[in-house]
Amino acid sequence: AQSVTQLDSHVSVSEGTPVLLRCNYSSSYSPSLFWYVQHPNKGLQLLLKYTSAATLVKGINGFEAEFKKSETSFHLTKPSAHMSDAAEYFCVVSDGGNKLVFGAGTILRVKS
Amino acid sequence: DSGVTQTPKHLITATGQRVTLRCSPRSGDLSVYWYQQSLDQGLQFLIQYYNGEERAKGNILERFSAQQFPDLHSELNLSSLELGDSALYFCASSSRKSGGNTGELFFGEGSRLTVL
């Protein structure tokens, strides 16, 4: 069965500094992986997705993630945090069919 | 704005009661998914419908049921409510039958259910 582990429940950064949100996955075959973001009182929005093409994936709002098969990781990064990035971020793996398996989420706090 | 509409946004009810949550998918999307988000369980997939037919089932309790109507809107029915059913219920839509491999689901803003 597919699963994802988000290694940090909370991450706090200062505005203008880099963001790193960590995610490890478990999958019995080549997975499809995604990052979603949830702002307070809002639905989830797709940030980026990896579906076996380029291992470095660029998403919206300056975020990117790198698929590393040897490390079974799909960490989300951004060079410079903005106050508007404060939200909860979910790493997600597809079961190859209809079900997306969500990680527990990482709450990103951005300090001014 | 994702284009997915959920009503009601908030709902407070008592144990043992029954509620219906409604979802209108994005225009043209045939797949509707229901997810439950709670503090202890995180985001859990409940059920998916595609063009009116049940397509996939997740961790949905027998007390819960859903359907998708010919106009593609969907309803999630929750009955014999328990305190533990308090959660945020999300609807998402996708244009694809599986929606899995493409990963792009469009989420509504959720219906927050509080059971007292």
Side-chain angles (χ1 to χ4, degrees):
Chain A
Q2 288 70 39
S3 66
V4 289
T5 301
Q6 293 185 242
L7 299 170
D8 307 292
S9 60
H10 292 78
V11 169
S12 183
V13 301
S14 297
E15 192 174 20
T17 65
V19 175
L20 170 64
L21 305 183
R22 300 181 295 164
C23 172
N24 286 352
Y25 70 90
S26 173
S27 177
S28 54
Y29 51 84
S30 183
S32 295
L33 293 158
F34 317 89
W35 279 96
Y36 274 80
V37 61
Q38 184 180 22
H39 287 92
N41 300 313
K42 295 291 185 185
L44 287 85
Q45 180 186 19
L46 181 67
L47 266 183
L48 50 81
K49 61 184 178 184
Y50 166 77
T51 54
S52 76
T55 56
L56 183 61
V57 181
K58 293 188 185 299
I60 61 173
N61 300 333
F63 285 94
E64 61 183 39
E66 186 170 8
F67 173 72
K68 291 187 177 180
K69 187 175 181 179
S70 60
E71 299 176 11
T72 61
S73 69
F74 190 58
H75 301 334
L76 182 70
T77 60
K78 182 173 181 177
S80 176
H82 191 272
M83 295 297 290
S84 61
D85 295 328
E88 187 163 14
Y89 292 79
F90 293 91
C91 183
V92 184
V93 64
S94 168
D95 72 344
N98 300 302
K99 195 167 87 169
L100 296 181
V101 178
F102 285 76
T106 298
I107 294 174
L108 175 64
R109 179 182 169 219
V110 181
K111 299 174 289 186
S112 59
Chain B
D1 182 5
S2 67
V4 177
T5 304
Q6 290 187 248
T7 57
K9 289 192 185 305
H10 301 276
L11 190 55
I12 301 174
T13 189
T15 55
Q17 295 297 305
R18 172 190 170 96
V19 299
T20 297
L21 310 180
R22 182 189 168 99
C23 169
S24 294
R26 284 191 323 158
S27 177
D29 282 358
L30 300 178
S31 275
V32 169
Y33 301 75
W34 285 97
Y35 282 82
Q36 179 194 57
Q37 185 179 37
S38 62
L39 285 175
D40 53 345
Q41 298 285 332
L43 260 164
Q44 299 282 322
F45 167 69
L46 295 178
I47 197 165
Q48 180 209 356
Y49 279 82
Y50 177 81
N51 202 21
E53 294 191 1
E54 183 183 303
R55 184 85 183 129
K57 226 170 188 177
N59 301 324
I60 188 166
L61 299 172
E62 284 193 13
R63 300 184 285 109
F64 296 179
S65 64
Q67 53 184 327
Q68 186 179 27
F69 295 86
D71 67 352
L72 301 178
H73 91 271
S74 178
E75 292 181 356
L76 179 67
N77 300 298
L78 315 175
S79 62
S80 302
L81 285 168
E82 301 174 0
L83 296 177
D85 297 327
S86 295
L88 193 53
Y89 291 85
F90 283 108
C91 169
S93 75
S94 165
S95 59
R96 298 175 69 92
K97 182 177 282 190
S98 72
N101 283 329
T102 66
E104 184 146 24
L105 299 185
F106 294 87
F107 283 80
E109 295 192 355
S111 293
R112 183 171 295 281
L113 173 66
T114 302
V115 182
L116 300 176

